[in-house]
Amino acid sequence: MSTMSDLLARHSKLSAEAVEHLQRVVAEWQLLADMSFADFLIWIPLAGADGVWAEEFLCVAQVRPTTAPTAHPEDAVTARVGALLNPQLRRAVVEGRICREEHPRWHLEVPIRRETIPVRHGRTVIAVLARDTNLAMPRVPSPLEIAYLSSASDLCQMVADGTFPARSAEVGAATSPRAGDGLIRLDAHGLVAYASPNALSAYHRMGYASDLVGLPLASATRELLSDPFDAAEVAARIDAALAGKQSLRMEVRARGAVMLVRALPLRPRGDAAGALVLVRDITDLRRRDMELLSKDATIREIHHRVKNNLQTVAALLRLQARRTAIPEASRALAESVRRVNSIALVHETLSASVDERVDFDELVDKVLPAIGDGATAESRAKVRRDGRFGVLPAALATPLVLVLTELVHNALAHAFDAGQVGEVTVVAERSPEALDVTVADDGCGLPEGFDLERSPGLGLQIVRTLLDSELDSSLQVRARPGGGTEALMRLSLRGR
C-alpha cells in the first residue's frame, strides 16, 4: 500500500510546504476523528482535461474513530470518486468552506452523513477533508458528546481557515494525550466549561478534590504543583493557548502523580473561542520507566564490577608471572593475562551501554592494538582491521573477541621471524544473515604437515571450543594466496 507522500508525489503538484501541512493534519486528525465520532478521509483533486477543474478525487489517507463505529470498514486509500457524483468535494474546493450533505447517503448498507472541509494552506485549498459519520448507531446527546462535537467543529473550521495545525505543531505527536485520556474545554476567559470524567480523575490524583467547572484552569493547576518553575510554565502554556498560540505538551508532577498536559487554541474564523486542554495520567507509565531505568543501572553496575574483578585477576596473574623463574610458566601466565583483559574489555563496553549489545568495531579497535603492542616486540608486525563487524549481542561478542585475540596472537607469534616486518589483517564482511571473519597474515605460511584438529596449541584448542560451543561455527585454516596464512569462520546472525 502506497503512503500518502507517495500518492501525493505521483498524483499532485503540491509544493513541499503543502505536503508538510497535510502531514501535520494527519498527525493531529486522530483527535478530530475521536471527537467527531466519525471517519476522516483526505481527498485530493485530480486535474481534468482542461487542467483546471477536477473530474475525479483521489483518497490519499484515512483514519477511523476509536469512539464510534467506523463508516468505512474497507480501506478507502487509493479509491477514486467522480466529482459529479460527489459535488460536496468540488464545492469545498471551489467555495473554500465547509459543506454538509442535507440527506444521508448509503454505503455498504450503512447510512452516512458527510461533511467536506477544505484544507487550506496559505490562501490555497490543497485538499478536502471528508468527515463521514456512521448514522446506524443513534447517539444520546450527553455533556461529553456535546463538548466533543463542539470542540471538533471549532478545530475543523480552523482547518478550513488554514490555522490548524499550526506550522509550529509537532508532526507525529504519537505521545500526545488523546480525547479519551482526558478533555477539558475552556471558554474565552480561561474558565472550565467542561471536564471529562477521565480529566477529573487525573486532577484528583494530582490532589485536586473538587470539581473544575467554572474555575480558571491555569490557577487551579498552578496551585497543585510544588515546583514553582513547572507551575509557572503550565500556567503560561494554558494562557498562551487562550491567546491563540500553539503549545507543546508538558509533564507535570504533584503528590507522586504525573500528568501529561497539552493545550490547543480554539479560534474558528479568527474569533477567540477558548482552548482545548488534553490531559493524560501517566503515573503508572513513568513508574514502569523508572523500574526499567533501575534495572538498566543495576545491569551496568554488574558489568562494571565484573570488569573490575577481572582486572584484579589479571593484575594478580601478571604479578605472579613476574615472580616466576620458569620461562614457560611465565609465558603461560602472560597469555592468561591477555585473555582475561580481553573479557574485561567486553564488560567495560557493556557497563557503558543501556542494552546487551556491543559496538564490536569499537571493541576490536581497543583489543587489537593491545595484542600488537604485547606480541610484536620481536617480529615488528602490525595489526589492522578491515571492514565492519557492526553491533553484536553481548552473548556473541564475548566469545568472538576471545577467538580473535587467540588467532591474532597466534599469527604474531608464529607467522613471522625475529625482526621481520609484516601485517596481520582482521577482515569482517557482514550480510543480513551472516558475519564472515578472516584473520590473515603475510608471514612464512603454514608449517609442513599442519593439521588443525591435531594441533597441540592451547590457543587453537580454545578457538575450536568457543566456535563449536558458543558461536555455532567452525574454523578453516589455509594458505593465503600470495603467501602467508588465513583463518576463516562464518557466524550466523539469524535471530540475533
Side-chain angles (χ1 to χ4, degrees):
M1 179 61 66
S2 300
T3 64
M4 184 179 72
S5 298
D6 294 335
L7 293 172
L8 292 175
R10 290 202 304 265
H11 299 285
S12 76
K13 297 181 180 179
L14 295 177
S15 64
E17 292 79 7
V19 172
E20 184 180 348
H21 183 71
L22 285 179
Q23 290 173 338
R24 286 194 294 269
V25 172
V26 169
E28 299 282 6
W29 69 347
Q30 185 65 61
L31 175 65
L32 296 177
D34 289 344
M35 292 195 303
S36 299
F37 307 101
D39 292 61
F40 276 76
L41 301 92
I42 293 182
W43 298 90
I44 59 169
L46 302 177
D50 55 7
V52 178
W53 292 103
E55 296 180 350
E56 280 188 320
F57 283 82
L58 173 70
C59 180
V60 296
Q62 174 185 7
V63 67
R64 297 180 176 91
T66 62
T67 54
T70 179
H72 294 279
E74 81 289 355
D75 194 346
V77 176
T78 71
R80 295 179 182 231
V81 297
L84 293 178
L85 296 178
N86 296 268
Q88 303 295 344
L89 294 175
R90 174 176 281 185
R91 285 183 59 196
V93 174
V94 175
E95 300 178 16
R97 65 179 181 86
I98 298 176
C99 302
R100 182 176 181 179
E101 293 178 339
E102 295 182 1
H103 303 288
R105 63 171 62 198
W106 288 84
H107 177 70
L108 299 178
E109 300 183 355
V110 174
I112 295 175
R113 169 162 282 126
R114 167 171 289 179
E115 287 181 282
T116 52
I117 304 155
V119 181
R120 191 180 302 276
H121 177 64
R123 297 183 178 181
T124 306
V125 175
I126 59 176
V128 178
L129 198 61
R131 178 163 62 174
D132 294 352
T133 304
N134 185 339
L135 301 180
M137 299 292 292
R139 306 188 65 88
V140 179
S142 65
L144 182 143
E145 182 171 338
I146 294 171
Y148 272 27
L149 291 173
S150 64
S151 300
S153 297
D154 288 342
L155 290 175
C156 288
Q157 182 59 53
M158 292 171 65
V159 172
D161 299 337
T163 57
F164 180 80
R167 184 181 296 272
S168 59
E170 296 173 290
V171 175
T175 59
S176 291
R178 293 191 175 189
D181 295 326
L183 179 144
I184 300 174
R185 175 67 189 256
L186 304 183
D187 63 17
H189 303 289
L191 303 180
V192 176
Y194 174 79
S196 71
N198 283 344
L200 289 174
S201 295
Y203 267 83
H204 291 166
R205 195 166 186 178
M206 297 280 288
Y208 200 90
S210 60
D211 194 1
L212 290 171
V213 175
L215 299 177
L217 185 65
S219 300
T221 306
R222 185 169 53 234
E223 293 174 359
L224 292 176
L225 307 181
S226 56
D227 188 323
F229 296 100
D230 285 351
E233 181 66 19
V234 70
R237 295 192 182 195
I238 294 174
D239 291 339
L242 292 170
K245 299 178 182 178
Q246 286 291 328
S247 172
L248 302 180
R249 57 189 180 274
M250 175 184 177
E251 288 187 14
V252 294
R253 290 173 169 80
R255 297 190 178 183
V258 187
M259 185 171 66
L260 193 63
V261 182
R262 186 186 182 201
L264 295 172
L266 296 177
R267 294 210 160 206
R269 300 184 179 86
D271 299 329
L276 186 67
V277 180
L278 302 172
V279 299
R280 180 186 178 191
D281 183 359
I282 57 172
T283 306
D284 296 334
L285 179 63
R286 288 295 173 261
R287 183 178 293 116
R288 288 194 295 268
D289 289 344
M290 291 301 298
E291 291 175 355
L292 290 175
L293 289 174
S294 177
K295 290 180 180 178
D296 288 340
T298 302
I299 292 172
R300 289 196 298 269
E301 179 62 21
I302 290 172
H303 285 303
H304 181 71
R305 293 188 182 187
V306 171
K307 182 261 297 184
N308 289 343
N309 291 338
L310 288 173
Q311 288 180 337
T312 301
V313 172
L316 293 174
L317 291 174
R318 190 179 299 112
L319 181 62
Q320 185 65 49
R322 292 173 182 172
R323 291 175 174 267
T324 301
I326 304 174
E328 292 80 0
S330 180
R331 285 195 297 271
L333 289 171
E335 290 181 1
S336 298
V337 169
R338 170 176 50 78
R339 292 167 183 141
V340 171
N341 280 333
S342 298
I343 301 174
L345 279 174
V346 176
H347 286 280
E348 181 181 15
T349 303
L350 289 171
S351 68
S353 174
V354 296
D355 56 17
E356 289 290 296
R357 301 184 69 82
V358 179
D359 184 347
F360 201 78
D361 297 304
E362 180 181 346
L363 182 60
V364 169
D365 290 342
K366 293 179 181 179
V367 173
L368 294 184
I371 301 173
D373 293 341
T376 60
E378 296 182 356
S379 67
R380 298 194 303 171
K382 301 298 181 184
V383 184
R384 70 178 179 91
R385 172 176 63 88
D386 189 10
R388 292 185 57 82
F389 289 86
V391 177
L392 298 175
L396 194 67
T398 303
L400 182 56
V401 76
L402 280 175
V403 168
L404 293 179
T405 299
E406 295 298 335
L407 291 177
V408 171
H409 183 269
N410 191 68
L412 292 171
H414 303 290
F416 305 98
D417 297 328
Q420 182 180 352
V421 176
E423 184 177 64
V424 178
T425 307
V426 178
V427 182
E429 296 181 5
R430 182 165 181 167
S431 68
E433 295 187 348
L435 174 64
D436 293 299
V437 183
T438 303
V439 178
D441 65 71
D442 55 1
C444 57
L446 290 172
E448 187 175 350
F450 174 80
D451 187 349
L452 178 61
E453 296 300 326
R454 297 182 180 179
S455 174
L458 177 60
L460 289 179
Q461 290 182 10
I462 292 175
V463 169
R464 292 198 304 270
T465 301
L466 289 173
L467 287 174
D468 182 56
S469 62
E470 300 288 338
L471 301 175
D472 192 21
S473 181
S474 59
L475 180 68
Q476 180 184 3
V477 180
R478 67 189 184 187
R480 180 187 183 190
T485 307
E486 59 183 12
L488 303 91
M489 50 189 163
R490 163 167 281 207
L491 283 67
S492 175
L493 297 178
R494 291 184 178 180
R496 294 177 173 174

